[in-house]
């Protein structure tokens, strides 16, 4: 094992820490019921209506913290831990996803960029490692460079994702207070949930960036 593998281990450690943090934070505030007993689904529908968005459906999907907004099909999918639950954590996550729907409605620039580059990044992420491995094996420097560039697209995508997620959380917290879904005491708790979730995106970006640095170091050393 060469020393550069330490970068991968550091990245894995950061991601594991972030995942544990978001799980523990969500579990803590999943036990805290909202004063108004509004479910994640009801909160999402209310916020969508308040924002004047009528073309987005709210659906339930299987899993835990698998919540996401699909801008192509205009569907807001809430996980089983969010859809019918009335906890502060569930409603905060639902509001965050509605934040993405509002971004879509307002044509938020970073969301548009992320959606535009997503297909290219998906292809790049799938071919990056095979190209790098083949290039290193047969000492094709050009092939290695193409693979590294393809892997670099993943880092770019994750960097673009950060402002998208931060903005959605900011919108969610403002909405929860302004619409009266949360009382004042519940907003700080929701912020802790969303901050923990945001840190997972930061951790993933750092981990991928460290892997990219490792690949560049290996490539330079082989030369």
């Amino acid at each position: 094992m060469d020393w550069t593998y330490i970068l991968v281990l550091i990245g894995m450690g950061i991601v594991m820490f972030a995942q544990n943090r978001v799980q523990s934070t969500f579990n803590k505030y999943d036990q805290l019921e909202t004063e108004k007993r509004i479910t994640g689904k009801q909160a999402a529908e209310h916020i969508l209506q308040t924002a004047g968005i009528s073309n987005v459906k709210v659906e339930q999907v299987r899993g835990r913290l698998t919540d996401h907004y699909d801008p192509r099909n205009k569907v807001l999918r809430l996980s089983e831990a969010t859809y019918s639950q009335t906890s502060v954590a569930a409603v905060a996550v639902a509001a965050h996803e509605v934040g993405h729907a509002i971004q879509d409605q307002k044509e938020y620039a970073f969301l548009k960029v992320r959606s535009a580059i997503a297909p290219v990044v998906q292809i790049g992420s799938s071919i990056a490692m095979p190209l790098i491995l083949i290039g290193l094996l047969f000492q094709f420097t050009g092939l290695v460079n193409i693979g590294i560039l393809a892997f670099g697209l993943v880092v770019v995508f994750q960097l673009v994702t950060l402002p998208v997620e931060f903005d959605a959380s900011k919108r969610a917290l403002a909405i929860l207070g302004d619409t009266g879904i949360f009382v004042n005491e519940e907003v700080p708790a929701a912020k802790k949930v969303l901050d923990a979730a945001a840190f997972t995106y930061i951790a993933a970006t750092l981990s991928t960036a460290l892997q990219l640095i490792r690949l560049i170091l290996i490539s330079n050393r082989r030369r």
Side-chain angles (χ1 to χ4, degrees), residues 46 50 170-182 184 187:
H46 177 70
T50 302
K170 182 179 178 180
R171 293 176 190 270
L173 291 171
I175 290 167
L176 289 171
D178 293 344
T179 58
I181 293 176
F182 275 177
N184 291 335
V187 174

Side-chain angles (χ1 to χ4, degrees), residues 70-105:
D70 181 353
R72 290 188 177 182
N73 298 310
K74 308 298 182 187
V75 178
L76 195 153
R77 300 187 176 96
L78 301 178
S79 67
E80 295 168 341
T82 302
Y83 188 84
S84 59
Q85 302 303 312
T86 58
S87 68
V88 168
V91 175
V93 171
H96 173 88
E97 298 306 327
V98 177
H100 289 309
I102 295 174
Q103 288 175 337
D104 188 23
Q105 179 201 42

